[in-house]
Amino acid sequence: MALPPHIQAGERVVLFDGVCRLCNGWAKFLIRHDRERRFRLCSVQSAEGQAILAWFGLPTDAFETMAYVEGEALFVRSDAVLRIVAQLPGAWRWLAWPRILPRALRDWCYDRIALNRYRLFGRYDSCLLPDPDHQGRFLDSAEPRS
C-alpha cells in the first residue's frame, strides 16, 4: 500500500485552502470539536499540501474543493465534508445526514458555496499561521504527533 507523501498509516488529513476565510473557519471548527485529535490539518498552499495534491493528480494552483485523505484514499467535495462530520463526537455526527441524498445533488450544492466562497466570506492575503495551542494539529507542524 503506497501512501501519499507526508502521511503516515492510519492518518486522516484534511486539506483546506489556507487563504479562504470559510476554510479557515472550518479548520478552527475541527480543532475545537475534534477532541480525540482524529484529524490533522494541512493547507493546500503548504509544501506538504502541494505534494499531496500532486500525488493524487489534483491541481496545485487552483483550489476549488476541500480534500480529505484517509490513508491512501482521497475524498473530495461533499463526500469529504460528510465523511469528516460523521467521525466527530456527539451530535455533530447528525450533520452527516445528507449522505443519503444523491452525490450529484450534494456536490452541486457544495460547488455553489465553494466556487463563491471568496466573494461570500472573503480571503486572507496569506495563509494564517496556527496558534501556539494548535501545535501538532497541522501536518506541516514541527510538533511531534500524539
Side-chain angles (χ1 to χ4, degrees):
M1 163 171 85
L3 293 172
H6 309 289
I7 297 181
Q8 298 178 9
E11 199 162 43
R12 302 170 196 160
V13 178
V14 177
L15 292 157
F16 68 99
D17 182 349
V19 298
C20 169
R21 289 185 184 266
L22 174 63
C23 305
N24 272 277
W26 169 245
K28 290 175 184 177
F29 171 85
L30 289 176
I31 289 170
R32 187 169 48 253
H33 296 288
D34 178 25
R35 293 181 206 109
E36 294 180 15
R37 295 179 172 247
R38 293 175 191 242
F39 306 105
R40 304 258 309 177
L41 301 165
C42 184
S43 164
V44 293
Q45 288 88 355
S46 70
E48 294 83 358
Q50 289 283 295
I52 295 167
L53 290 173
W55 194 85
F56 281 111
L58 295 173
T60 58
D61 56 349
F63 316 111
E64 296 177 359
T65 183
M66 181 194 64
Y68 170 59
V69 180
E70 209 174 276
E72 63 184 27
L74 172 70
F75 302 91
V76 295
R77 300 164 79 187
S78 66
D79 283 341
V81 173
L82 296 175
R83 190 156 181 104
I84 292 166
V85 296
Q87 297 178 64
L88 290 175
W92 294 113
R93 291 185 179 147
W94 289 99
L95 293 177
W97 72 265
R99 66 182 159 206
I100 64 172
L101 300 173
R103 179 182 293 145
L105 175 62
R106 290 186 282 129
D107 284 347
W108 183 86
C109 293
Y110 179 94
D111 288 344
R112 301 293 70 76
I113 296 168
L115 296 173
N116 294 293
R117 69 189 185 279
Y118 293 142
R119 187 174 54 79
L120 295 171
F121 300 98
R123 65 182 292 157
Y124 298 107
D125 292 330
S126 61
C127 292
L128 296 180
L129 296 174
D131 293 334
D133 62 331
H134 298 164
Q135 288 291 1
R137 299 304 296 263
F138 288 80
L139 191 61
D140 49 354
S141 172
E143 181 79 10
R145 299 172 192 179
S146 54

